[in-house]
Amino acid sequence: MATDAQNSPFIKHLASSDKKTRDQALTSLRAFLSAQTEISELDLLKLWKGLFYCLWMQDKPKLQNRLSSDLASLPATLRPVVVLPFLRAFFLTIAREWINIEALRLDKYLFLIRQYVNASFKYLAREKWNEDMVKQWNGIMEEIPLNATETKLPNGLRYHVLDIWVDELEKVEEGWAKEEMREALGRVMEPVEKLAKDGRLKVVRTAAKECLADERLQAWRGEAQDEVDEEMSDEKDEEWGGFDD
């Protein structure tokens, strides 16, 4: 069970300053996770709490980035049925712990989030942007980091995910500009589109629209710059009426 993994010494050893110890711990964790055909949500959350605080205790910048990259390699080792629940548990953990992340520790978690958005897109790319897989992934995004209405979810997480979204799409797929990729691109952008339309706060909607206005995305979609500029202008011209109820 994942609870066993959380309490195992190899979780703590992932933050070791000794490379051999770290590598052995990662190998043990990969072996454990790759053998699982099903892990409960509770066990995944317990596991991710252990991994979150493993990174918390790592103070050396180079080792922080190494650990984040190692953790982001885990989804590629999982059985397909476990991948999306594992990713969901990651984002739930980040959202829950966000308020506790001190300023001095924030950068390493922002890097981890970037690595996990990238790992997520890599998984979808391996699945050839399968419609059902993307739909399930979108559900996770709309439930947690890009939730349009839940005020308890941290806006800082929303902003960061929006800021890196197109960057990581570009890294994992070179063919976005191809006509046959337009439909897949439209699907994967749906959480951002929904946030731009339905976000409760104007600043969040604006951030989502800025993501959609990225020149790379416009080029992939064959959009005209003036159309996107007009949408942004409409948003800026709206009279602010205070926070939504």
Side-chain angles (χ1 to χ4, degrees):
M1 295 176 65
T3 306
D4 298 329
Q6 183 210 9
N7 295 326
S8 173
F10 63 68
I11 294 293
K12 295 180 180 179
H13 289 168
L14 284 170
S16 171
S17 59
D18 179 69
K19 183 178 185 301
K20 183 177 180 180
T21 300
R22 293 197 312 271
D23 290 346
Q24 289 176 342
L26 183 64
T27 297
S28 297
L29 180 58
R30 283 174 173 159
F32 169 80
L33 290 174
S34 65
Q36 307 304 307
T37 56
E38 182 180 3
I39 309 178
S40 73
E41 177 180 312
L42 179 60
D43 282 338
L44 282 171
L45 290 174
K46 288 180 178 179
L47 173 61
W48 262 113
K49 184 173 183 178
L51 295 175
F52 180 92
Y53 282 102
C54 176
L55 181 59
W56 180 281
M57 298 302 295
Q58 180 54 262
D59 294 327
K60 297 180 180 180
K62 288 185 178 180
L63 295 182
Q64 291 170 7
N65 289 349
R66 168 65 185 273
L67 177 56
S68 291
S69 296
D70 287 343
L71 293 179
S73 72
L74 294 175
T77 70
L78 301 176
R79 301 194 180 192
V81 70
V82 179
V83 174
L84 289 174
F86 186 80
L87 294 173
R88 180 175 178 270
F90 165 75
F91 284 106
L92 282 171
T93 299
I94 292 295
R96 182 190 65 220
E97 300 291 344
W98 185 271
I99 194 173
N100 298 318
I101 301 176
E102 303 163 353
L104 292 176
R105 287 187 165 96
L106 183 59
D107 282 350
K108 60 183 173 183
Y109 286 104
L110 294 179
F111 184 74
L112 178 64
I113 293 165
R114 179 183 285 274
Q115 293 295 298
Y116 258 83
V117 171
N118 181 274
S120 299
F121 287 150
K122 282 181 178 177
Y123 169 68
L124 295 176
R126 287 196 303 271
E127 297 294 322
K128 301 186 184 302
W129 305 100
N130 174 272
E131 182 175 357
D132 184 59
M133 289 295 179
V134 174
K135 183 177 180 180
Q136 292 181 59
W137 160 250
N138 285 351
I140 296 171
M141 293 297 96
E142 292 171 12
E143 175 195 5
I144 311 168
L146 298 185
N147 188 300
T149 59
E150 178 52 70
T151 57
K152 292 182 180 180
L153 289 168
N155 280 330
L157 177 57
R158 288 183 174 100
Y159 297 146
H160 183 58
V161 171
L162 289 169
D163 188 50
I164 64 179
W165 193 272
V166 178
D167 289 346
E168 303 312 314
L169 276 179
E170 185 178 40
K171 290 176 185 177
V172 303
E173 179 61 68
E174 296 180 353
W176 285 123
K178 297 178 181 178
E179 183 67 32
E180 59 267 28
M181 293 297 295
R182 294 280 174 84
E183 186 175 349
L185 180 60
R187 282 197 295 267
V188 83
M189 294 305 301
E190 285 178 2
V192 182
E193 299 272 9
K194 183 173 182 179
L195 190 59
K197 179 182 178 182
D198 299 331
R200 292 192 67 179
L201 296 179
K202 181 180 177 180
V203 290
V204 172
R205 296 195 303 273
T206 298
K209 290 185 178 183
E210 288 174 351
C211 175
L212 295 172
D214 189 290
E215 291 181 358
R216 294 164 294 177
L217 182 59
Q218 294 171 40
W220 299 338
R221 296 175 123 179
E223 294 178 340
Q225 178 64 47
D226 55 355
E227 294 177 358
V228 179
D229 287 345
E230 183 178 351
E231 291 183 7
M232 292 294 294
S233 178
D234 289 344
E235 180 69 20
K236 291 178 181 178
D237 289 342
E238 288 181 4
E239 181 180 358
W240 186 73
F243 297 115
D244 296 332
D245 294 330

